[in-house]
Amino acid sequence: MKNWWKYLCILLLFYTVIMGFLGPIPELNILEESIRNLYFHVPMWFAMMTLMFVSLVYSILYLSNQKIDHDIRAAAFAKVGFLFGLLGIITGSVWARATWGAWWVFEEVKLNGAAAALLVYAAYFILRGSFDDEEKKARFSAVYSIFAFVMFMVLINVIPRISNSSLHPGNGGNPGFNSYDLDSNLRIVFYPAVIGWILLSVWISTLLIRMEKIFRKKHQLDIE
Amino acid sequence: MLSAQTVNTADKLMENSKLNAVIVVAAIILTGIFVFLFYIERKIKKLEQEVKN
């Protein structure tokens, strides 16, 4: 059946929540039980990266063949991607308060990168909102979407890795979460969790797309 | 006895330093979210059928 991946999503997320709390974890200083956030906070960002990439693909597709369907998809994936980014930054803040002692650390390069990336995408939506003409809207936002994704990758994946002073795992000389997920106890929940959360974000995006298309069709039928 | 049954469930919830209570809560929330998603799915499918006709 064509909804198999939705059932897989449900299965993986229940597994994540149950094993996420019950599963064994390594003994880590400072982090203690909060390492379990690895199964929730981190996948939010993987979901955002996946969705923004898919949005980019549809943007490029739109530029090459002008099908408005591609613009609808690009916008929907970006919207949900932005939502997951918001969730990622809020959950990160909660985790930071518990481990670094502060809700936000202004000198922290990864945090600045994440916040800046969200602003870059907020600008994408503002840009879209400024157009009345559908075709212009689609074209300009498709072009912006390319810059946005490149900046997104640079801001959260490149610059933080270059920095030599950071609190965030994976940056500034800290062991990356790679060395956390080298612990096989963490890995057996983390990988399914990433897939589950990505599937959920895709599911929500597809619902948005279908809604948008119905609204458009209904609108056209009402005019006639 | 009914009271014996309720005590059993409550006892299970309080095991594991009451972490079980958290898991059940999270599972309930998750279930709620999925129920909502399926509800939206059905609504959309209905609208899609409407528009097709």
Side-chain angles (χ1 to χ4, degrees):
Chain A
M1 95 202 71
K2 64 181 178 118
N3 289 327
W4 64 272
W5 54 276
K6 296 175 185 168
Y7 297 108
L8 178 65
C9 166
I10 295 173
L11 189 73
L12 289 173
L13 286 182
F14 271 109
Y15 172 80
T16 300
V17 160
I18 294 170
M19 284 305 289
F21 289 119
L22 287 180
I25 55 169
E27 274 183 37
L28 295 163
N29 280 334
I30 302 175
L31 281 170
E32 297 179 284
E33 289 286 331
S34 80
I35 186 64
R36 296 176 188 279
N37 271 334
L38 183 75
Y39 311 136
F40 304 100
H41 162 74
V42 177
M44 295 292 109
W45 293 106
F46 277 109
M48 182 182 180
M49 288 192 258
T50 308
L51 260 48
M52 291 318 190
F53 179 71
V54 173
S55 174
L56 171 74
V57 168
Y58 278 114
S59 294
I60 296 176
L61 278 173
Y62 175 80
L63 288 173
S64 90
N65 59 25
Q66 262 79 46
K67 281 216 183 86
I68 203 69
D69 173 81
H70 291 146
D71 176 66
I72 295 172
R73 286 167 188 270
F77 281 109
K79 266 186 209 150
V80 182
F82 186 82
L83 166 70
F84 274 77
L86 269 180
L87 291 176
I89 219 168
I90 294 170
T91 55
S93 176
V94 171
W95 200 357
R97 180 63 183 90
T99 51
W100 305 340
W103 299 103
W104 193 263
V105 176
F106 285 100
E107 305 81 11
E108 177 48 55
V109 60
K110 186 83 157 192
L111 272 56
N112 290 335
L118 285 179
L119 285 174
V120 165
Y121 277 104
Y124 169 83
F125 296 116
I126 295 175
L127 178 71
R128 287 186 67 87
S130 71
F131 286 103
D132 281 329
D133 178 48
E134 186 178 74
E135 199 251 320
K136 280 211 183 80
K137 175 199 299 199
R139 210 157 16 108
F140 279 92
S141 47
V143 172
Y144 183 82
S145 157
I146 298 172
F147 291 118
F149 186 78
V150 172
M151 282 316 298
F152 178 38
M153 290 294 110
V154 167
L155 284 164
I156 69 165
N157 282 326
V158 176
I159 298 180
R161 280 180 171 78
I162 300 175
S163 139
N164 50 25
S165 156
S166 168
L167 288 166
H168 194 281
N171 311 133
N174 300 320
F177 71 78
N178 280 310
S179 82
Y180 293 146
D181 77 22
L182 268 182
D183 186 301
S184 46
N185 282 327
L186 293 176
R187 249 189 301 192
I188 56 166
V189 185
F190 179 63
Y191 292 154
V194 169
I195 298 174
W197 288 112
I198 292 180
L199 284 177
L200 181 69
S201 64
V202 171
W203 187 356
I204 298 173
S205 307
T206 58
L207 287 174
L208 265 185
I209 293 168
R210 286 165 68 190
M211 281 203 305
E212 177 64 31
K213 289 169 119 167
I214 295 175
F215 286 154
R216 283 169 181 249
K217 282 213 186 94
K218 274 213 136 190
H219 186 65
Q220 282 176 326
L221 291 174
D222 285 340
I223 299 179
E224 283 162 21
Chain B
M1 272 227 75
L2 201 63
S3 58
Q5 278 180 322
T6 20
V7 167
N8 259 330
T9 338
D11 282 344
K12 283 251 154 61
L13 271 182
M14 290 194 275
E15 274 172 29
N16 202 0
S17 315
K18 301 198 185 115
L19 186 65
N20 295 353
V22 177
I23 297 171
V24 170
V25 164
I28 291 171
I29 293 174
L30 215 59
T31 308
I33 292 176
F34 289 129
V35 164
F36 180 62
L37 280 180
F38 274 114
Y39 164 75
I40 296 190
E41 286 256 1
R42 269 185 292 131
K43 270 228 153 159
I44 293 183
K45 206 191 296 200
K46 203 167 58 152
L47 277 172
E48 281 169 342
Q49 297 292 18
E50 240 178 76
V51 167
K52 213 162 55 158
N53 304 331

